[in-house]
Amino acid sequence: MGKQESTDVVVIGGGLGGCMAALAVAKMGLKVIITEETDWLGGQLTSQAVPPDEHKWIEKYGSTNTYREFRNRVRQYYRDNYPLTKEARENEILNPGNGWVSRLAHEPKVALKVIEDMLAPYLNSGKIKVLYNYKPLDAKTEDDIVKSVTVTHIEKSQTIELIGQYFLDATECGDVLPIAGVEYVSGAEARNETGEPHALEEANPIDMQSFTYVFAVDYVEGGNFTIDKPEQFDFWREYMPSFSHLPLFSWYATDADDTSKLKQFTLLQNNEGIPSLFTYRRILDTENIEGDLYEGDISLINWAQNDYFHGPIYGVSDEEIEKNLFNAKQQSLSLLYWLQTEAPRLDGGKGYPGLRLRKDVLDTEDGLAKYPYIRESRRIKAVYTITEKDVSKEIRGDQGICEYFDSVGVGSYHLDLHHTTVSKRSFYIPNYPYEIPLGALLPIRVKNLLPACKNIGTTQVTNGCYRLHPTEWNIGESAGYLVAYSLLNNVIPHQVRQEEEYLKDYQKLLVNNGIQLHWPEDIDL
């Protein structure tokens, strides 16, 4: 029999939502245990190796204070520890990689350090305890109450039953929901269920967004770092997706502005005006660094060419999951090999052997991220479900931003759906900035388990915008304060939403802790 541990709040999953939930609970003076499947906290920013996707107002507003603190700390980390050029050092909005996906493209290990620093007082005092390399296995529930969640070590046959008053599912795939008996949705809903123009005619629970195994490379002109040919390379080189007339491995990918068209890219910056994919998620630009500390710029490769849409990694058999994880890794390594050996260059040549797989950047043996980048999770059946009509610019028209009486935060991003596993559809729908309704954090039945990640009450369509870094961060933080408030005031989260006195008190707590509930009235849309 495994051992037991008790605490006030149990957080399963150490990504951005989980870390911020734990931080909020600890700030309220309660104790929390957080589990993490890998040996790195930070999820999307660290173990999944995805620089922050953010909206255009992020430097001024539209995030929680702690998220802004994180961004400031990242910049300060580079100023304190790196031999920056004078210009980079004095740049208030320093972008370490000058990547064009983000105003703050930076190395995963720096994000890891900053997140650990933000948690440090609570880790060192014992308010937060982290269990690394553990994933959920089973749960005990009675009526509508979760009593415990048992987690198991990834490598050792070791289990721990975690007992708490509240449980937060901050796993990347909503893994606690099925084992705790929480009602949930996965994949694509039907149009008659959600009323969304972009929903499918018929629901399909395994028609999920693609996931991606990200990898890090630097580029050293004149070098030859070609990897061994991956075993599935011949398949991936020839593979022609159903939505394209060109192979997946080409310099043409779906145009975000019109997903019915393809857009041309290339690897490196050039004088022909063709967008460079290397600089897209570049996390270290040597132009920012004095001397020759780095041999070349470093970039994270998370492109359309290594999105894996051939099958899901939850909701299917263990064999199917293993197969899809392996194939996705092969796809990413095959992309690297294609880039090194066959990718057409603008000068008429082929291949960029100077691309070097940087295993040290992600601290793995194979050079791939510790965990796949998950875009879509199981989602709770919620008291309130956010649909396309709440967010889509086209549908809302001159109604503008949808405001909720029970808002617990804000965010903004296009409704960005990557190609799915069955219908293979994708879209990139313009949005209005949005709020996060408390009702979307409340399961329809279960009383003491809340989502703290991208598993809130969205649809597949609206998950496309609520899944991004600052929003996940806000969801986790607000969920953490909610369970702490409920514990300290002897109420349940559903009561907090139902009774105005509690709701106003809880929202005041959020505002006092730097969580923005509404967008400014004078926002420039």
Side-chain angles (χ1 to χ4, degrees):
M1 180 170 168
K3 58 179 183 174
Q4 292 182 332
E5 290 195 32
S6 297
T7 190
D8 297 317
V9 178
V10 175
V11 178
I12 307 293
L16 296 180
C19 286
M20 289 310 108
L23 182 61
V25 169
K27 282 180 175 177
M28 296 291 285
L30 299 170
K31 289 198 165 187
V32 57
I33 291 174
I34 181 170
T35 68
E36 165 53 33
E37 281 192 48
T38 72
D39 57 352
W40 278 11
L41 294 172
Q44 293 191 64
L45 282 172
T46 60
S47 59
Q48 295 175 45
V50 183
D53 288 297
E54 300 167 336
H55 54 73
K56 64 183 180 181
W57 305 279
I58 196 69
E59 300 295 347
K60 295 179 182 174
Y61 48 74
S63 75
T64 73
N65 280 8
T66 54
Y67 186 74
R68 193 157 297 115
E69 178 191 345
F70 165 80
R71 299 175 87 257
N72 292 338
R73 281 183 182 237
V74 167
R75 286 175 173 144
Q76 196 58 44
Y77 188 90
Y78 280 93
R79 293 186 192 108
D80 290 345
N81 298 293
Y82 283 58
L84 298 180
T85 63
K86 182 173 185 291
E87 185 182 6
R89 185 173 301 284
E90 292 174 356
N91 185 356
E92 278 187 26
I93 51 170
L94 172 67
N95 188 343
N98 287 320
W100 46 278
V101 73
S102 173
R103 291 169 174 79
L104 192 65
H106 60 284
E107 296 156 293
K109 283 183 177 176
V110 173
L112 175 66
K113 187 79 176 76
V114 169
I115 289 167
E116 288 175 342
D117 285 351
M118 291 177 75
L119 296 175
Y122 305 97
L123 288 166
N124 296 341
S125 64
K127 283 281 188 282
I128 296 175
K129 178 178 182 178
V130 183
L131 299 174
Y132 291 101
N133 299 305
Y134 276 89
K135 66 177 183 178
L137 176 67
D138 198 8
K140 286 182 184 170
T141 60
E142 284 179 22
D143 300 321
D144 300 335
I145 303 293
V146 178
K147 295 294 187 181
S148 69
V149 173
T150 298
V151 293
T152 181
H153 196 277
I154 298 289
E155 289 157 3
K156 308 168 191 169
S157 56
Q158 191 173 312
T159 61
I160 306 174
E161 184 182 12
L162 300 174
I163 299 163
Q165 298 193 58
Y166 279 92
F167 296 84
L168 292 171
D169 182 351
T171 61
E172 299 299 328
C173 299
D175 292 331
V176 185
L177 305 181
I179 60 175
V182 180
E183 290 82 359
Y184 68 89
V185 179
S186 72
E189 298 93 347
R191 192 171 303 156
N192 63 7
E193 290 176 301
T194 67
E196 295 173 306
H198 286 87
L200 287 180
E201 281 294 325
E202 290 184 23
N204 189 333
I206 62 165
D207 189 21
M208 303 173 195
Q209 283 191 73
S210 47
F211 67 92
T212 306
Y213 262 108
V214 182
F215 57 95
V217 290
D218 61 3
Y219 183 69
V220 183
E221 186 67 53
N224 185 351
F225 306 102
T226 306
I227 62 169
D228 293 339
K229 181 181 173 182
E231 63 180 83
Q232 289 184 8
F233 176 70
D234 292 336
F235 168 81
W236 290 108
R237 177 179 54 187
E238 303 298 327
Y239 177 68
M240 187 94 69
S242 58
F243 49 80
S244 175
H245 62 276
L246 293 170
L248 182 64
F249 288 1
S250 78
W251 285 126
Y252 289 84
T254 303
D255 187 346
D257 294 327
D258 181 353
T259 53
S260 67
K261 295 179 180 173
L262 295 177
K263 182 174 180 176
Q264 184 181 2
F265 297 91
T266 189
L267 185 69
L268 303 176
Q269 289 172 296
N270 57 85
N271 298 322
E272 297 181 33
I274 301 170
S276 155
L277 281 180
F278 186 85
T279 59
Y280 179 46
R281 285 192 165 94
R282 182 174 56 190
I283 52 169
L284 195 288
D285 183 355
T286 52
E287 293 287 314
N288 283 328
I289 306 289
E290 292 279 12
D292 54 3
L293 179 66
Y294 285 75
E295 288 181 69
D297 295 356
I298 302 174
S299 184
L300 294 170
I301 309 306
N302 170 12
W303 304 344
Q305 293 90 327
N306 61 330
D307 277 2
Y308 183 84
F309 45 76
H310 290 252
I313 50 172
Y314 59 89
V316 291
S317 68
D318 289 347
E319 292 76 22
E320 190 75 8
I321 291 168
E322 287 306 313
K323 181 188 84 173
N324 287 324
L325 288 170
F326 177 77
N327 291 349
K329 289 184 175 186
Q330 280 290 305
Q331 180 181 353
S332 284
L333 292 170
S334 295
L335 173 61
L336 173 59
Y337 188 74
W338 177 81
L339 288 168
Q340 291 172 326
T341 61
E342 295 189 13
R345 299 197 308 258
L346 293 179
D347 65 5
K350 285 190 170 184
Y352 297 86
L355 279 176
R356 175 170 54 177
L357 185 60
R358 286 291 301 268
K359 299 179 180 184
D360 55 321
V361 171
L362 301 178
D363 194 25
T364 57
E365 284 295 314
D366 60 9
L368 302 172
K370 290 174 180 284
Y371 202 86
Y373 174 37
I374 308 292
R375 293 184 177 86
E376 186 180 307
S377 173
R378 299 176 181 91
R379 307 175 296 281
I380 64 163
K381 287 190 177 178
V383 169
Y384 182 89
T385 301
I386 303 156
T387 65
E388 198 177 335
K389 68 177 170 52
D390 292 0
V391 191
S392 167
K393 218 168 199 174
E394 185 184 354
I395 295 175
R396 296 197 60 75
D398 57 10
Q399 293 178 86
I401 296 170
C402 181
E403 293 194 4
Y404 305 107
F405 76 94
D406 61 345
S407 176
V408 298
V410 296
S412 185
Y413 203 73
H414 279 69
L415 292 95
D416 177 15
L417 199 80
H418 285 236
H419 289 106
T420 59
T421 52
V422 181
S423 65
K424 303 292 190 275
R425 72 202 201 288
S426 75
F427 39 76
Y428 196 70
I429 305 166
N431 71 296
Y432 275 120
Y434 51 80
E435 298 178 356
I436 305 165
L438 174 56
L441 273 64
L442 300 174
I444 51 174
R445 178 182 57 82
V446 174
K447 301 290 188 289
N448 70 330
L449 183 145
L450 298 179
C453 196
K454 42 180 125 30
N455 50 351
I456 65 169
T458 59
T459 62
Q460 181 178 53
V461 177
T462 55
N463 160 78
C465 57
Y466 277 78
R467 65 181 170 82
L468 279 306
H469 305 63
T471 306
E472 185 196 323
W473 184 291
N474 193 150
I475 289 166
E477 198 168 353
S478 295
Y481 281 119
L482 179 60
V483 296
Y485 178 86
S486 299
L487 264 176
L488 295 170
N489 290 277
N490 200 28
V491 293
I492 63 168
H494 291 71
Q495 267 180 287
V496 174
R497 183 175 186 267
Q498 289 161 353
E499 299 181 31
E500 188 177 2
E501 176 191 351
Y502 291 130
L503 180 61
K504 295 290 180 237
D505 201 28
Y506 164 61
Q507 288 177 319
K508 184 179 175 185
L509 172 70
L510 294 182
V511 171
N512 289 344
N513 281 282
I515 295 175
Q516 182 184 332
L517 303 186
H518 305 287
W519 286 91
E521 286 185 17
D522 61 351
I523 185 174
D524 177 21
L525 295 172

